Amino acid sequence: MRKLLYRLSLCCVALAPAWAAAQEFTTLKGHGGPIMGVTVNDATGQVASASFDNSVGLWQGRLPLWLEGHDAAVNTVLFLGADRLASAGDDFTVILWDRAAGGSTHLTGHKGKIVDLAQSPDGAWLASASWDGTIGLWPLFGDAAETARFLSGHEAGVNAVAFSADGARLYSASADGTIRIWDMTNDGSRILTDQGFGVNRIVSGPEDAWLAYGAVDGVTRVIDTQTGDQLADFSLDRRPILALAHHPETHRLAVGDGHGYIMIIDTDQWRILRDFRAMRRGPVWALDFSANGRNILAGGIEDIVYSWPIALLDEFDPAGGEQRSFLRDPEDMPNGERQFMRKCSICHALTPPPSRKAGPSLYGLFGRKAGSVPGYPYSEILTGSDIVWSDDTIDALFDIGPDHYIPGSRMPMQRITAPGDRQDLIAYLRRATAPQKEN
């Protein structure tokens, strides 16, 4: 019945009024890795996405325009107006994208990955949350790189930031379990609440009437922004909380968790409206509402941004019904393929280049000089390397780990300690990456 309703809803879109078209279930496809962030321009309705594939997708309807400039996974993206965006990621860098002028500005200064961004209500400041334990404050008028300042006080990485309604204060959430309030005039701060477990996300309500937060232990709470007193608790037996989004006009708060659920909360009456299994496998890492509030957009371990009509959430099965190779049950795979799926598949394709994944294609790997796939932006350490990929070099790479075998490369630290597992991986790669003979 659900599938029939779904087909009928799509067939009727062309005949429906404009408002109904906004309630269509849609997918935005093109990224080469998991979706880490999604944001909607409230003025234009345009969608931007941040991905593990090092790219920002700026969607023209369902067609992507790629913004390339990051050297590692992009964790967050934020519209700064009709023609400007900001993005940040694992390369410790914030990039300001000026679509009108066609240029970009790289802002550096953090010493750890950046996982969240927020713009002040007057548009003058951009705040960045970093795992180096600091908050960056970048002026958006003038030379941001020269006049940035950094706020210190948390005892662990900072996961989220949000400005107060008047822009005079900044809220920050940290892996140290606290939420702090910062005074923008003197950079002083105080602890608003100490959750005990790391706080991943925060959202500030209209006129600072409340602050919602989601934590590592699954806690989802709403507190008073002055006293920290609890106003509501929506904690369920699902953890961690990884995404929050708020739509003030419709009085809705969305919560995404590690079990793949999206909970929709009515912030007028503080009650749960929907509790939807959005992802068949994997967490919900990214959330935002459509400009009119009728749809919820989400992303996770798949390379797709999904958009569901909130009013019809009960009619949809979880996303990911089509079996994706990296979501298959590992027990159904031969060991060599299982090692590849666990260690390599998120970053590397097995098909001929070009590839939208974060790493270069492994097609034709054996006998290839490291750092030699045309068009891929390798680090200097790899382009100047004399390594040739073979059974022995691949074995050594995973035996001691990339950071020891090729110090200074961007390859993530990972090892395969069992010799038999490494040999099974190498045998699988020999078969899977061999160039195909033309008929």
Side-chain angles (χ1 to χ4, degrees), residues 138-199:
W138 314 86
L140 293 175
F141 307 123
D143 193 334
E146 292 294 327
T147 53
R149 65 187 199 266
F150 294 86
L151 308 181
S152 299
H154 282 292
E155 296 179 358
V158 184
N159 291 325
V161 284
F163 281 95
S164 64
D166 60 6
R169 296 174 306 284
L170 180 74
Y171 306 101
S172 61
S174 170
D176 66 10
T178 68
I179 297 174
R180 284 182 172 267
I181 302 180
W182 302 82
D183 188 326
M184 289 288 288
T185 60
N186 59 24
D187 293 352
S189 72
R190 66 179 176 89
I191 294 176
L192 178 62
T193 189
D194 189 343
Q195 150 69 15
F197 290 87
V199 181

Side-chain angles (χ1 to χ4, degrees), residues 33-231:
I35 306 301
M36 311 302 294
V38 64
T39 187
V40 176
N41 189 316
D42 290 336
T44 66
Q46 189 170 29
V47 177
S49 51
S51 173
F52 192 82
D53 67 3
N54 304 358
S55 301
V56 172
L58 185 60
W59 298 88
Q60 324 292 320
R62 296 191 189 182
L63 298 177
L65 172 66
W66 302 117
L67 303 182
E68 310 283 7
H70 284 284
D71 292 329
V74 188
N75 297 316
T76 182
V77 60
L78 179 70
F79 281 104
L80 303 176
D83 297 313
R84 298 183 75 196
L85 301 91
S87 60
D90 283 6
D91 56 1
F92 310 172
T93 301
V94 176
I95 299 182
L96 302 180
W97 306 91
D98 191 329
R99 296 292 306 138
S104 62
T105 303
H106 289 59
L107 305 179
T108 58
H110 278 299
K111 298 178 181 179
K113 64 170 64 179
I114 304 165
V115 293
D116 195 26
L117 297 169
Q119 186 182 20
S120 62
D122 62 2
W125 293 93
L126 180 71
S128 53
S130 173
W131 281 16
D132 65 7
T134 71
I135 299 158
L137 289 175
W138 314 86
L140 293 175
F141 307 123
D143 193 334
E146 292 294 327
T147 53
R149 65 187 199 266
F150 294 86
L151 308 181
S152 299
H154 282 292
E155 296 179 358
V158 184
N159 291 325
V161 284
F163 281 95
S164 64
D166 60 6
R169 296 174 306 284
L170 180 74
Y171 306 101
S172 61
S174 170
D176 66 10
T178 68
I179 297 174
R180 284 182 172 267
I181 302 180
W182 302 82
D183 188 326
M184 289 288 288
T185 60
N186 59 24
D187 293 352
S189 72
R190 66 179 176 89
I191 294 176
L192 178 62
T193 189
D194 189 343
Q195 150 69 15
F197 290 87
V199 181
N200 288 333
R201 294 293 168 206
I202 53 175
V203 164
S204 177
E207 303 303 320
D208 301 321
W210 49 265
L211 185 80
Y213 71 85
V216 171
D217 61 346
V219 163
T220 305
R221 289 198 180 116
V222 183
I223 59 175
D224 185 280
T225 58
Q226 298 298 319
T227 65
D229 292 342
Q230 180 176 305
L231 302 177

